[in-house]
Amino acid sequence: AMTITVTTLANKMKAMETAFDKKVETLKKDMEAKYNEQVKQLNRAFDAKIEVMMVMLKAKDEDIGKLNKEIGTLQKTSSFLTQETSDMTTKINTNAATIRQATNEVKYVEQKANDLEDRGRRSNLVFFGLEEQQNEDCKTKITELLRYYGIINQTESFRLDRAHRLGPYKQHAQRPRPIIVKFAFYDAKEFVISRASYFKGSDITVSGDYSKATLAIHRQLAKHAKTAKDDGHITRYDVKYKHVVIQLENREHDKNQYRSYDLNFINAHSNNWYSLDIKKNKQKTSTQSHVQHNITSSSSQQIETARFLDD
């Protein structure tokens, strides 16, 4: 009976082992099935995400491609614009050089024209302050004026090509129109202008006849000289054509006190131009006596007048 019991127990134990192994196997299969299903789910989710990312990357690649194309287009445009700018700069520089040359040529022509105009006016004088009269003869009026102030003798007269009033007549004008006179001889005109001081104390003044450009230079020279005189740096000054002659001190017979300057020199040395004694700004000896005479208003009449007096 003991043997049967042990055998029976062994069989039961074996049956239990077999049943346990089956349960373990079944559990294992279930676990493997669940694991495999989870792995498949994870793989499907991962693949889906990968697919989404690939789509996104493809879209990014397309965007990058478009950007690269746009960058390439911009680079080409930039290169074209750079070349265009370079060409335009070259053209501008060329045009600027042409304009400068043309400007210089125009200035040269203007200077020549002004010089020619001044040469054409070199024998002219303009008289200011002479009262107007009806049916007046300006030649006779000027001759009588010169005789009255002692510039010429009562029996002498200058040969005048023409004399007339400047500008249109205006009734009730505050000032009489000036008279422009063309002398037949340049020396006669110089003779009269050198004695302009004879009119001092009257309403009559006389000046040379110049182009507008030269008159503008006169005004600037006179402005600089007047400022220097008002500040006490010079004693007297006289504007002569395109330069101004100054007198540093009141020494009548000292030639070194007179100096001559043009507008370019004055503008270049605006602060102390009157104190600079440059040889090229001094007048030649041949003209120095005339300048001194004009500034000092000498009453001497040593000039030979026979060659330009009217017979």
Side-chain angles (χ1 to χ4, degrees), residues 110-167:
E110 287 179 347
Q111 290 175 356
K112 283 294 182 182
N114 291 331
D115 288 340
L116 288 174
E117 185 177 353
D118 286 335
R119 287 178 184 274
R121 297 170 180 259
R122 67 193 302 265
S123 296
N124 297 355
L125 285 179
V126 182
F127 292 82
F128 300 87
L130 285 168
E131 293 185 2
E132 293 192 49
Q133 298 171 342
Q134 289 185 347
N135 303 321
E136 63 183 1
D137 183 343
C138 289
K139 286 186 179 181
T140 301
K141 183 181 285 289
I142 293 299
T143 299
E144 292 175 351
L145 175 74
L146 299 179
R147 288 174 179 173
Y148 179 81
Y149 282 95
I151 295 177
I152 56 176
N153 296 328
Q154 294 297 320
T155 59
E156 295 176 333
S157 63
F158 286 117
R159 191 175 303 164
L160 307 179
D161 285 346
R162 58 181 177 271
H164 60 84
R165 296 279 181 178
L166 289 174

Side-chain angles (χ1 to χ4, degrees), residues 42 69 79 84 88-90 101 123 134 141 179 181-183 199 204 221-223 249 264 270 272 284:
L42 289 174
K69 288 182 180 179
S79 177
E84 283 290 309
M88 188 63 68
T89 301
T90 302
Q101 181 179 356
S123 296
Q134 289 185 347
K141 183 181 285 289
I179 296 178
V181 180
K182 180 174 178 57
F183 290 81
F199 301 117
I204 300 171
L221 289 172
K223 180 180 179 181
E249 298 177 11
N264 290 333
S270 58
N272 59 342
K284 296 180 180 179

Side-chain angles (χ1 to χ4, degrees), residues 245-277:
V245 181
I246 65 171
Q247 184 180 8
L248 296 179
E249 298 177 11
N250 193 12
R251 299 194 302 268
E252 297 290 341
H253 303 292
D254 184 2
K255 295 181 179 180
N256 294 327
Q257 67 178 314
Y258 298 97
R259 296 178 184 176
S260 177
Y261 303 90
D262 61 26
L263 188 59
N264 290 333
F265 184 87
I266 293 176
N267 289 335
H269 307 83
S270 58
N271 294 329
N272 59 342
W273 60 271
Y274 43 79
S275 64
L276 300 177
D277 187 9

